[in-house]
Structure formats: C-alpha cells, structure tokens
C-alpha cells in the first residue's frame, strides 16, 4: 500500500488495515501485436476467472473490466459466449481487476469501462458498488464522467440506472456482427 503514493496517506493506512490484497492472482499478462492493449487473465488457485484489458490512448490509460465469470447472454458472434456462465464477480473482484492493472502499469488509470466478459446489468449491485468505491474521493477518486457501463440491453436495469443517476456514462452495445444488421 505504501507504494501507492497517488492515494492519500489516510486511505493507504485504512486499506492496509481493512483490505486483504491478493484474492485474485494474475495468471497471465499478454502484450500482443497491438501496442495499445494489454490483456490480463485473473484467477484463483491457478483457475482462470476473468479477463481485463488495459487500453492506451493519447489521453492516458483506460481499464476495461469483466463483471462476470463467463457470460449468460450468449451473443452468437461473441467469444465470451463460448465460455458459458459460471458466476457474478463480487464488487471486490471487480475493483481488484482495476487496481491490478494500476499496479502492473505502476500508474493511476484515469478511465474505467465495464465492457469485458459478462453483462454488467445482470450483476447490477456489484457493478454499482464498484463504481461507488472507485469514484469515492476518499478512496480512488475516479471521475464519474470517466466511467462507462456497457450493456447489450437489459431494460429493467437500464431504467433503474437512469433513475439512480449515478453520473457515469452508459453505452448500449448494438450486438450484431456487421453494420447492416446494426442499422
């Protein structure tokens, strides 16, 4: 915790006392042909659980996190559909994905997208708890304007999201394999 000098001292002390690090282990880090993306495979007891992607843009880094182990939606064109569905990730695991990318990069990430494996709105409570924790000025202090939740379209959760006005962005994934079908 002491190495995280971008966090306030009081927060680092609180984290040292109350948070057990290491529930998720980094099983594999891939730096592919695209220099702008790094993939992280997280798991427990050498068993893969979820994947995150660190994206590099001219304005800085964005962390793309998964919200579920596998995906229950099953879009035919999506590789996540091949994984099947195991379970929702806890809000702590979602935060750990994001913070793990920060540690790996040795840098504060300025943007967060919930666009990895899983449907965020089918794990609404944990996703919103992670948003609250990461946007809390006394914790990580991420700007709400720099957080995006992507959904394939879960109307009841979308309506709830609109009512609660969390101050984060919503992206609707037009889940189709080509522009003609999306249009």
């Amino acid at each position: 915790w002491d190495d995280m000098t971008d966090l306030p001292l009081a927060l680092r002390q609180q984290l040292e006392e109350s948070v057990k690090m290491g529930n998720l282990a980094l099983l594999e880090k891939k730096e592919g042909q695209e220099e702008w993306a790094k993939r992280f495979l997280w798991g427990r007891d050498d068993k893969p659980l979820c994947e995150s992607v660190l994206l590099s843009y001219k304005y800085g880094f964005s962390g793309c996190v998964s919200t579920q182990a596998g995906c229950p939606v099953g879009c035919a064109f999506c590789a996540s559909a091949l994984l099947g569905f195991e379970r929702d990730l806890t809000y702590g695991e979602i935060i750990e994905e994001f913070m793990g990318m920060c540690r790996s990069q040795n840098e504060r990430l300025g943007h967060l997208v919930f666009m990895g494996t899983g449907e965020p709105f089918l794990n609404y409570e944990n996703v919103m708890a992670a948003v609250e924790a990461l946007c809390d000025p006394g914790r990580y202090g991420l700007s709400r304007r720099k957080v995006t939740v992507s959904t394939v379209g879960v109307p009841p959760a979308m309506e709830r999201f609109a009512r609660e006005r969390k101050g984060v962005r919503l992206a609707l994934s037009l889940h189709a394999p080509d522009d003609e079908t999306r249009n």
Side-chain angles (χ1 to χ4, degrees):
W1 294 110
D2 290 336
D3 292 340
M4 296 181 176
T5 56
D6 59 333
L7 298 177
L9 179 59
L11 172 59
R12 287 182 279 158
Q13 290 169 339
Q14 179 186 3
L15 291 170
E16 179 69 39
E17 295 168 7
S18 62
V19 177
K20 179 181 177 270
M21 289 294 289
N23 287 331
L24 290 183
L26 179 59
L27 302 180
E28 186 177 357
K29 179 179 173 184
K30 291 182 185 177
E31 296 188 41
Q33 295 171 335
E34 314 99 3
E35 60 188 48
W36 51 270
K38 296 177 186 174
R39 297 187 179 282
F40 297 81
L41 180 64
W42 306 100
R44 288 191 175 151
D45 303 319
D46 294 325
K47 181 183 178 233
L49 183 65
C50 61
E51 186 177 62
S52 305
V53 181
L54 180 66
L55 304 164
S56 177
Y57 296 102
K58 62 183 175 186
Y59 57 76
F61 291 101
S62 184
C64 176
V65 297
S66 294
T67 58
Q68 297 176 309
C71 184
V73 176
C75 299
F77 67 91
C78 181
S80 296
L82 302 174
L83 300 173
F85 175 70
E86 188 176 326
R87 67 175 179 84
D88 291 337
L89 297 180
T90 67
Y91 82 95
E93 289 167 334
I94 295 168
I95 292 169
E96 213 170 332
E97 288 180 77
F98 186 78
M99 296 306 293
M101 288 186 284
C102 291
R103 281 193 306 278
S104 175
Q105 202 60 28
N106 198 27
E107 185 167 331
R108 181 180 170 84
L109 304 184
H111 294 79
L112 168 62
V113 292
F114 291 89
M115 206 175 287
T117 302
E119 167 51 56
F121 281 165
L122 293 179
N123 188 11
Y124 190 90
E125 298 298 329
N126 287 321
V127 168
M128 292 303 122
V131 167
E132 291 305 314
L134 290 168
C135 293
D136 182 337
R139 294 180 182 175
Y140 190 80
L142 188 62
S143 169
R144 290 178 183 276
R145 293 184 313 249
K146 295 182 179 180
V147 176
T148 302
V149 178
S150 178
T151 180
V152 297
V154 181
M158 293 169 68
E159 290 169 358
R160 179 177 176 189
F161 183 83
R163 278 192 315 272
E164 292 179 357
R165 297 180 181 232
K166 297 288 185 181
V168 301
R169 297 172 189 252
L170 175 66
L172 181 60
S173 175
L174 299 175
H175 47 286
D178 56 64
D179 285 337
E180 182 181 342
T181 304
R182 282 189 286 270
N183 288 338

